[in-house]
Amino acid sequence: MNTKLPKFIIAAFSLFSAPHLASAKSLRQAKVADERKYDKLMVSATSGQTKTSFDFYVLSMSFQPEFCYMHRKDGYPGCEDPLEFWRGSLTLHGMWPEDDDGSWPSTCTKERFNPSTVYDLGEDRFNRMWPNVKASANSKSHYSFWEHEWTKHGTCTSMTQDEYFDTALKHFLSTPSIVREKYGKTVARDELLEAYRTDQSDEYGDVILVCSGGKYLSEVRVCIGKNADGTGSKRIKCISQVAQEDTCGSEITLQKFYIDDDAMVEVK
């Protein structure tokens, strides 16, 4: 994604004199070559400032077998004992506010994540559809993934925590059956896109396929419109900046969980 901060936001800093914005001028004048580092500095300088004026959401779904393969030396609990559901379905990574110019708000308030949200909406629902494979249910870091998503993205939506996570879960993107059928195998890019078109609808454009090394399916992304209250509306066509995140080639490998390398996995 393009992380360049919109000019009107940069200009706005000159209108404020509050102590926590005292460094904005020096940040604005700094010649920072790396735009991502610059964006990080500006977000830090404006931490705690509510920013809910964005245009749409990017909904990102993760393919856990690939994530686990990339972290096979870490021995994450969810990778060592994955749910059968994850072999044939991508799971939520997050729902991220974004602007039409390709920039996005980040860490907009200091509201801390409340774990009660997980229980309000159903812990089993989170563990199945939005899992934190890095941590076991009884560990201190069990909530760390959802805490990160709330802090970085949810705080910019104007929604409550329950509303934010419920909205994302309700927009869970179903995975076409070809992913389970081709588990551990290679599929043609066009065939996978066609499967998503058939399973969903092609009026919104193709899904965005993100691959590790241009070959191994890692994520699938779509764009969701925004209602006046900040909740997600319906799927929309992604802007060009999001579409450019597609990194998959003509042949895509659907990685299998590394624990399946030495075990027979029945295709159901």
Side-chain angles (χ1 to χ4, degrees):
M1 294 183 185
N2 176 14
T3 60
K4 186 176 181 180
L5 204 66
K7 293 181 179 179
F8 75 90
I9 293 180
I10 295 176
F13 282 116
S14 62
L15 300 177
F16 295 87
S17 58
H20 59 275
L21 292 176
S23 63
K25 183 177 180 181
S26 60
L27 283 175
R28 186 173 66 250
Q29 293 175 338
K31 293 183 179 180
V32 185
D34 189 331
E35 289 185 356
R36 288 190 176 275
K37 290 182 180 179
Y38 181 77
D39 184 62
K40 184 177 180 180
L41 287 170
M42 297 304 285
V43 168
S44 177
T46 59
S47 179
Q49 296 298 298
T50 301
K51 198 283 186 188
T52 57
S53 57
F54 60 96
D55 298 308
F56 65 96
Y57 290 101
V58 172
L59 184 79
S60 190
M61 305 287 294
S62 291
F63 191 46
Q64 295 298 343
E66 172 59 17
F67 176 83
C68 288
Y69 187 83
M70 296 292 290
H71 296 274
R72 57 192 179 281
K73 295 182 180 180
D74 297 316
Y76 292 143
C79 296
E80 294 290 315
D81 187 22
L83 294 184
E84 176 62 26
F85 176 70
W86 302 340
R87 290 185 171 92
S89 177
L90 280 73
T91 59
L92 273 168
H93 179 172
M95 191 176 77
W96 311 325
E98 182 134 350
D99 294 314
D100 284 338
D101 63 0
S103 64
W104 64 85
S106 178
T107 316
C108 297
T109 76
K110 294 181 180 180
E111 181 183 348
R112 301 182 66 177
F113 173 72
N114 188 344
S116 67
T117 292
V118 176
Y119 301 100
D120 291 344
L121 301 179
E123 186 176 18
D124 289 343
R125 193 178 174 201
F126 274 85
N127 290 336
R128 177 182 174 86
M129 300 169 66
W130 202 339
N132 179 8
V133 298
K134 291 184 177 182
S136 56
N138 58 356
S139 71
K140 293 182 179 180
S141 57
H142 178 54
Y143 303 100
S144 59
F145 179 31
W146 307 312
E147 179 180 23
H148 168 79
E149 291 301 309
W150 166 254
T151 300
K152 184 174 182 180
H153 305 290
T155 57
C156 298
T157 65
S158 77
M159 288 188 280
T160 66
Q161 296 189 36
D162 280 13
E163 289 171 341
Y164 170 68
F165 286 101
D166 189 51
T167 293
L169 287 162
K170 285 180 177 177
H171 282 89
F172 185 94
L173 183 70
S174 62
T175 304
S177 59
I178 192 173
V179 171
R180 187 63 181 93
E181 294 164 0
K182 297 286 188 176
Y183 179 72
K185 301 176 182 178
T186 298
V187 61
R189 171 192 175 87
D190 289 345
E191 187 177 5
L192 182 57
L193 288 175
E194 180 59 32
Y196 268 103
R197 291 189 202 109
T198 302
D199 197 58
Q200 308 293 321
S201 171
D202 61 0
E203 67 176 294
Y204 310 114
D206 287 328
V207 297
I208 310 302
L209 303 175
V210 181
C211 284
S212 301
K215 180 179 180 181
Y216 301 93
L217 184 67
S218 175
E219 302 214 343
V220 172
R221 295 172 183 165
V222 296
C223 295
I224 306 294
K226 186 193 74 169
N227 292 317
D229 60 358
T231 57
S233 57
K234 63 180 182 179
R235 186 170 158 192
I236 60 175
K237 187 173 182 178
C238 289
I239 61 174
S240 60
Q241 291 93 327
V242 176
Q244 289 169 6
E245 295 171 6
D246 192 309
T247 58
C248 294
S250 59
E251 295 292 324
I252 300 173
T253 297
L254 302 176
Q255 188 65 264
K256 59 182 178 180
F257 283 108
Y258 59 80
I259 64 164
D260 293 340
D261 284 340
D262 300 318
M264 291 296 291
V265 179
E266 180 183 359
V267 177
K268 298 181 180 180

